[in-house]
């Protein structure tokens, strides 16, 4: 076990995580020259087309260092704020993290929020300054920024270029010397954490796990503790570029398990796997449940496809644990699902994956967020309103509260005025303004979540010429003056087109529609 290292790569969007993963695989010989391609771990067509990572990807590499053989388990994580749930799951399976910062762009909002996630889990952080070969790179200044953020020494920051291969050996040495080996005991009862699952149409569900104690053997009778179901381990192995079958996987290591499970509901990410006859006493403290931010209805174009859509959604949920959905019906669109997403990009990706991977053509309703309504009769009882049609009538309504977020925007000082104007237009209140360096400033706002659902991110990028980065976290609900905007077609109200909007925006939005 002392020669195993489990680590992930965290960074802001486009700072070079997947390219760095490619170079690490080249350096350790995990990939042959015939299998080589850019962003090798991004296996989905959508990821390759858009140049973003959507799913975390785990791979095992072997490395020979100072006469000893080491096993390195790497997890490449997404950078976009909508997929931070994937990052939190990857971090739970690691002891260390490579924090990658772009030498031309310096520290961005997502760098900081992913760093805090890693620190909360007591991970050892190795700072990597990437893209030092770029003509626009400013290594000295960005190194100072990293030192200021982490409180480390300037010598600890590894200058590298994932494109040209500079600094890759130094990164591998740092992984072996600085990241602690996993703790655990092979002789204790089996205790393994499920951190991901993938649906395979031929073999059922593949479960990815990290073993904390004990070992898992082929043919072993095992039990999933959260669901209480038991299975036999038909196949276990390690996650090389192609899965490698093994007779057993021991404490500290990461691997995959196939048990022939066909039902999506039976595998829960964050669950504990243990031995059926000799179970562990301790359930691993799992991940926090995912909190959807944006809600929208997804309906099949043809109502007969409802059951196909249900099974497609269940299979997709396996591959993306942050998707939440429940059945609902609409007078205009028939039967469909009310889905919760982590953000607008997440919603767009889910819609595209349904079309590509399951041939489902779907209609998506206007996205909205979840509100709290209180009636005059029972002013203390909360009614959760996910759909505008659930809102009580105005005569019975006492008040409506909407979810607020704390937004952090990091931008260049030239664009502070434009960013402030945008946030105030979106009903935001400025709480704090901190100068990180002479020309970079961090603005903290409190604003309604519903205002950032539509076009906030795109407009932020355009007013700051792409220089602003954005991150947010929920802070609870506040009372607000909200009204329901109904749209009539031929004098008949269409429930699928209704939206809850702030009174000040109702006229302009109605006019625009």
């Amino acid at each position: 076990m002392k020669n195993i290292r489990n680590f992930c790569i965290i960074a802001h969007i486009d700072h070079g995580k997947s390219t760095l993963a490619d170079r690490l695989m080249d350096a350790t010989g995990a990939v042959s020259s015939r299998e080589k391609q850019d962003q090798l771990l991004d296996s989905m067509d959508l990821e390759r087309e858009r140049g973003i990572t959507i799913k975390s990807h785990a791979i095992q590499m072997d490395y020979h260092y100072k006469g000893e053989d080491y096993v390195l388990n790497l997890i490449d994580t997404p950078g976009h704020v909508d997929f931070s749930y994937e990052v939190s799951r990857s971090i739970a399976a690691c002891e260390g993290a490579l924090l990658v910062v772009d030498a031309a762009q310096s520290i961005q909002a997502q760098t900081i929020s992913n760093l805090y996630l890693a620190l909360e889990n007591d991970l050892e952080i190795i700072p990597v300054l990437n893209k030092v070969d770029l003509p626009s790179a400013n290594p000295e200044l960005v190194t100072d920024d990293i030192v200021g953020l982490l409180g480390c020494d300037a010598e600890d920051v590894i200058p590298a270029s994932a494109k040209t291969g500079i600094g890759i050996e130094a990164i591998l040495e740092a992984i072996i010397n600085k990241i602690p080996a996993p703790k655990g005991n092979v002789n204790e009862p089996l205790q393994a954490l499920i951190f991901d699952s993938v649906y395979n149409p031929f073999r059922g569900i593949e479960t990815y796990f990290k073993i904390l104690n004990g070992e898992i053997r082929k043919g072993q009778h095992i039990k999933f503790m959260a669901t209480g179901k038991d299975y036999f381990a038909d196949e276990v192995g390690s996650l090389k570029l192609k899965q490698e079958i093994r007779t057993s996987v021991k404490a500290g290591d990461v691997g995959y398990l196939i048990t022939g499970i066909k039902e999506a509901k039976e595998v829960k990410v964050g669950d504990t796997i243990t031995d059926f006859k000799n179970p562990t006493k301790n359930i691993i403290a799992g991940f926090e449940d995912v909190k959807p931010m944006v809600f929208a209805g997804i309906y099949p174009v043809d109502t007969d496809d409802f059951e196909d859509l249900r099974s497609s959604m269940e299979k997709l949920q396996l591959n993306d644990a942050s998707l939440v959905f429940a059945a609902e019906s609409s007078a205009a669109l028939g039967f469909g699902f009310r889905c919760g997403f982590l953000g607008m990009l997440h919603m767009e990706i889910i819609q595209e994956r349904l079309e590509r991977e399951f041939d489902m053509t779907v209609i998506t309703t206007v996205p909205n967020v979840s509100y709290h309504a209180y009636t005059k009769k029972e002013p203390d009882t909360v009614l959760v309103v996910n759909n505008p049609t659930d809102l009580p009538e105005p005569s019975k309504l006492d008040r409506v509260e909407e979810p607020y977020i704390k937004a952090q925007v990091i931008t260049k000082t030239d664009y502070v005025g434009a960013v402030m104007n945008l946030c105030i237009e979106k009903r935001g209140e400025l709480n704090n303004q901190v100068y990180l360096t002479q020309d970079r400033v961090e603005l903290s706002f409190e604003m309604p979540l519903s205002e950032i659902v539509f076009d906030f991110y795109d407009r932020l990028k355009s007013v700051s010429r792409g220089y602003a980065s954005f991150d947010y976290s929920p802070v609870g609900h506040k009372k607000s003056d909200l009204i329901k905007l109904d749209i009539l077609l031929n004098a008949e109200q269409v429930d699928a087109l209704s939206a809850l909007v702030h009174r000040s925006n109702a006229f302009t939005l109605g006019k625009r529609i």
Side-chain angles (χ1 to χ4, degrees), residues 181 402 438:
E402 64 176 328
Q438 279 180 340

Side-chain angles (χ1 to χ4, degrees), residues 327-459:
E328 72 163 3
S329 66
S330 144
L333 299 172
F335 290 103
F337 295 96
R338 184 97 200 136
C339 305
F341 307 98
L342 296 181
M344 294 300 283
L345 178 69
H346 187 214
M347 175 174 136
E348 200 181 313
I349 296 289
I350 292 290
Q351 208 176 330
E352 258 192 62
R353 287 184 69 183
L354 280 172
E355 286 181 14
R356 287 182 184 211
E357 295 171 32
F358 303 99
D359 289 330
M360 296 299 309
T361 319
V362 293
I363 298 170
T364 316
T365 63
V366 179
N368 64 359
V369 298
S370 134
Y371 299 94
H372 286 177
Y374 298 85
T375 55
K376 286 176 180 162
K377 205 173 183 182
E378 299 170 350
D380 298 329
T381 314
V382 181
L383 289 171
V384 178
V385 180
N386 284 334
N387 194 338
T389 45
D390 303 339
L391 191 73
E393 286 174 20
S395 55
K396 296 177 183 166
L397 198 62
D398 179 46
R399 65 186 190 281
V400 183
E401 292 181 352
E402 64 176 328
Y404 267 69
I405 55 159
K406 180 178 178 230
Q408 278 174 304
V409 178
I410 294 179
T411 183
K412 286 196 161 185
T413 41
D414 312 356
Y415 307 114
V416 171
V419 171
M420 278 188 182
N421 282 343
L422 172 67
C423 292
I424 289 163
E425 183 195 324
K426 296 283 187 187
R427 297 192 285 135
E429 286 175 17
L430 180 67
N431 285 352
N432 201 355
Q433 182 174 350
V434 182
Y435 280 82
L436 301 171
T437 60
Q438 279 180 340
D439 62 342
R440 286 175 60 250
V441 62
E442 179 184 13
L443 304 168
S444 300
F445 291 93
E446 264 195 21
M447 57 201 300
L449 178 62
S450 57
E451 292 288 345
I452 67 160
V453 164
F454 284 106
D455 57 352
F456 177 77
Y457 194 66
D458 301 340
R459 286 190 51 198

Side-chain angles (χ1 to χ4, degrees), residues 173-216:
E173 281 178 29
I175 289 167
I176 287 166
N177 295 329
K178 292 186 177 171
I179 294 176
K183 299 176 183 67
N185 187 342
V186 181
N187 304 320
E188 282 187 28
L190 170 66
Q191 184 191 26
L193 168 78
I194 299 176
F195 68 88
D196 207 353
S197 60
V198 180
Y199 181 74
N200 180 329
F202 306 107
R203 315 188 59 185
I205 290 156
E206 298 172 3
T207 310
Y208 294 173
F209 60 81
K210 179 197 176 186
I211 300 190
L212 301 190
N213 290 306
E215 67 170 321
I216 190 165

Side-chain angles (χ1 to χ4, degrees), residues 6 40-44 47 54-60 73-76 86 88-94 190-201 203-212 216 222 224 233 235-245 249-250 252-261 264 266-274 284 287 317-321 353:
N6 300 320
L40 185 66
L41 292 180
D42 290 348
S43 48
M44 232 185 290
E47 291 181 312
I54 294 168
K55 285 272 313 147
S56 297
H57 302 278
I59 187 163
Q60 190 176 79
N73 289 312
L74 151 73
I75 303 179
D76 178 27
E86 287 282 332
S88 70
R89 290 167 26 190
S90 309
I91 283 174
C94 296
L190 170 66
Q191 184 191 26
L193 168 78
I194 299 176
F195 68 88
D196 207 353
S197 60
V198 180
Y199 181 74
N200 180 329
R203 315 188 59 185
I205 290 156
E206 298 172 3
T207 310
Y208 294 173
F209 60 81
K210 179 197 176 186
I211 300 190
L212 301 190
I216 190 165
I222 52 168
F224 285 18
E235 182 180 311
V236 294
S238 54
L239 296 157
K240 293 281 172 75
L241 193 57
K242 294 194 170 59
Q243 291 171 343
E244 198 170 273
I245 302 173
V249 179
K250 293 188 167 64
D253 218 343
V254 174
Y256 74 94
L257 160 76
I258 295 177
T259 49
I261 304 174
E266 292 178 28
V267 178
K268 281 194 163 38
V269 166
D271 195 355
T272 307
I273 308 175
T274 188
I284 300 164
F287 306 107
Q317 194 176 30
L318 270 181
N319 215 313
D320 181 352
R353 287 184 69 183

